[in-house]
Amino acid sequence: MSQPPAPHLPTTPPALSEHDRNALHDLYVRGTPRNTLRAYERDLIYITMWKSLRASEAAFAPSLSWPEQEDVALLFILDHTRGLDKAPKDDPARLVAEALIDQSLRKSLACPAPSTLDRRVASWRALHRMKNLESPFEAPLIKQARTKGRKAAAKAPAPKSAHPITREVLEALLETCDGSLRGIRDRALLMLGWASGGRRRSEITGLLREDVSLKEFQSKSLIWIQLVESKTTLKGETPRLVLKGRAAQALYHWIEVAEIEDGGLFRAISKSGRALPRRLGPDAVYQIVRKRLALAGYPDGFASPHGLRSGFLTQAALDGAPIQAAMRLSLHRSMAQAQKYYDDVDVAENPAADLLG
C-alpha cells in the first residue's frame, strides 16, 4: 500500500493510476530544489500552528482550509506587518506570537522582515496551486494590504557581512593558518570559498571529493569543481567552477595530506590532529572565519562567511574585472544584485567625487 503524499506535494487527480501519481510526485520532487521543499515544509508548519492558535480568538476553524478563507489570509497579513513588542499583553496577535516563540517557530515580537512574510505567503499560494485551487491572496484587498504592509515595514536591508573580505583581509586570515592539519584545512577552505567566486557556506560544506577534478592540476595548476546545486541553480545545472594558482595548490595540499579519497571534502579534525570521516557543517565555516579574523587582529563581528562572497565581488570591481566575468564564478542570477558591489567601488573611484579637492 502506497504512503500518502507529504502535505507540500501536489494533489493528484483521482483518475490517475497509483503508478502515475507516484510518477507525478517523483517529478515534482526532482524538479524542485531541496531548499525550496524544506521551506515549504517549515512554512506549512508555521502557518498551521499560527491558525490553530489564532482560531481561539477569531471566528474560524483551527485547521487549514482549502481554499483558505480571505479573512484568515487578511488576518495573517495584519498579524505579520506590525511589531508586537509594544502591543498590549492581552493582544491576541501578541499572545499567538509568544506561543510561536515558545515553540521556536518565531524569533521575537518584532515585526517580521517583509521578505519573511513574502516567502510564507508564497509558500501558502504554492500549496494552493498544488491542489489546483486559487488562493485568497489574489483578492484585491489582500494584495493591497500586502503592499501597504511592505511599505510600512520597509527599511534598508542589513548587510549579511559587516565588511567584505577583500584580498587584503583574506591574506591576513591566511597568515594565521599554520602547517598543522587544521591550518592546512582552513587555508584550503578559505581560498576555495573566496577564489571560486565567493561560495556560500552550504556550498562549501556540501562538496564531496568526487566533485573535485585534479586531472589538470599537474599540467596546468587547475582544479575543476562541480557544485551539485546552488541557491540559484537546480541540481545538475550548475556550471563547473575553476580554481587556479595558489588556491588550487592549497586545496590539492589538503586533499593529499588528509588522504581524502571519497566522501566529504572538508572534514572535522580530531584533538590528536587526524582528519575524521565526518564532514563539516555550515556552522563550522562561521566558526573558522570568526577564529581566523580574531587571530588576524580584527574586532569581533568584523565579517561573516558571506564576506567571502561580497569580498570576491568587491575585489573584482576594484581590479576592474568585468561584472559578467565575476558573475560567471559567483553564479549571481541577478545583474542588479551583483551590481551593488560594483556601484560602491565605482562611486568611491568616481572623479566627480573629488571636485572640491
Side-chain angles (χ1 to χ4, degrees):
M1 184 175 179
S2 62
Q3 295 293 320
H8 59 279
L9 293 180
T11 300
T12 52
L16 290 181
S17 67
E18 180 179 338
H19 178 270
D20 291 336
R21 288 197 297 271
N22 291 336
L24 178 59
H25 292 154
D26 178 65
L27 175 64
Y28 185 83
V29 171
R30 288 188 291 111
T32 307
R34 284 180 294 178
N35 286 345
T36 302
L37 290 175
R38 285 193 289 268
Y40 286 161
E41 291 176 341
R42 290 194 304 269
D43 292 338
L44 181 62
I45 291 170
Y46 182 92
I47 293 165
T48 301
M49 186 57 63
W50 171 85
K51 187 179 180 184
S52 68
L53 292 167
R54 198 66 166 91
S56 62
E57 296 288 340
F60 52 71
S63 58
L64 294 183
S65 301
W66 305 102
E68 191 52 85
Q69 304 169 66
E70 288 186 12
D71 57 344
V72 173
L74 180 58
L75 191 58
F76 186 80
I77 298 294
L78 295 176
D79 279 5
H80 294 84
T81 50
R82 63 187 177 109
L84 298 171
D85 46 340
K86 295 182 180 179
K89 293 189 180 298
D90 60 349
D91 185 308
R94 176 171 180 154
L95 294 173
V96 169
E98 289 173 341
L100 292 169
I101 292 171
D102 290 341
Q103 298 182 44
S104 300
L105 294 176
R106 180 168 173 157
K107 292 182 178 180
S108 72
L109 293 174
C111 180
S115 59
T116 300
L117 176 60
D118 286 346
R119 194 200 69 234
R120 286 181 175 143
V121 168
S123 293
W124 210 343
R125 292 176 64 195
L127 293 168
H128 277 79
R129 288 196 300 272
M130 294 173 203
K131 298 177 182 297
N132 204 26
L133 298 170
E134 186 171 337
S135 83
F137 295 99
E138 313 307 322
L141 175 61
I142 298 178
K143 281 186 174 181
Q144 188 177 45
R146 287 184 64 198
T147 300
K148 297 294 185 183
R150 193 178 296 113
K151 289 181 178 179
K155 57 183 179 180
K160 295 180 180 179
S161 180
H163 297 89
I165 298 177
T166 56
R167 185 190 296 118
E168 179 182 359
V169 178
L170 179 67
E171 294 289 6
L173 302 189
L174 297 178
E175 284 292 324
T176 72
C177 299
D178 57 21
S180 67
L181 192 60
R182 195 178 305 275
I184 293 170
R185 179 201 64 189
D186 291 1
R187 181 184 295 108
L189 184 150
L190 291 169
M191 294 187 83
L192 180 146
W194 196 91
S196 65
R199 304 270 57 87
R200 300 177 179 89
R201 292 186 296 169
S202 59
E203 294 170 354
I204 295 172
T205 56
L207 283 170
L208 302 176
R209 173 62 184 84
E210 302 90 276
D211 301 326
V212 177
S213 172
L214 304 177
K215 291 181 179 179
E216 296 186 51
F217 178 74
Q218 298 297 343
S219 59
K220 300 180 181 179
S221 289
L222 296 181
I223 292 180
W224 292 94
I225 298 171
Q226 181 67 65
L227 297 179
V228 177
E229 61 182 327
S230 73
K231 186 177 179 180
T232 55
T233 58
L234 295 175
K235 184 183 294 185
E237 295 182 0
T238 303
R240 287 199 307 166
L241 302 173
V242 67
L243 276 187
K244 303 171 67 175
R246 293 169 57 202
Q249 292 167 7
L251 182 59
Y252 182 85
H253 188 43
W254 158 248
I255 292 172
E256 187 177 45
V257 298
E259 300 179 345
I260 298 175
E261 298 180 356
D262 53 32
L265 181 62
F266 292 109
R267 313 283 185 85
I269 295 174
S270 69
K271 292 182 179 179
S272 62
R274 293 185 302 105
L276 301 173
R278 175 172 56 86
R279 67 180 179 183
L280 297 179
D283 186 61
V285 180
Y286 170 81
Q287 299 298 338
I288 289 170
V289 170
R290 183 182 180 188
K291 173 186 174 181
R292 296 298 169 185
L293 283 168
L295 290 174
Y298 289 95
D300 188 37
F302 178 83
S304 71
H306 192 267
L308 295 170
R309 188 164 177 78
S310 60
F312 170 81
L313 284 165
T314 300
Q315 193 64 56
L318 288 169
D319 290 355
I323 189 171
Q324 294 85 352
M327 289 176 64
R328 170 64 179 79
L329 288 178
S330 70
L331 301 182
H332 272 86
R333 185 166 51 187
S334 166
M335 172 72 78
Q337 188 70 27
Q339 186 67 46
K340 292 179 182 178
Y341 302 102
Y342 274 66
D343 287 345
D344 288 343
V345 171
D346 290 343
V347 167
E349 300 299 323
N350 191 329
D354 297 320
L355 292 181
L356 191 59

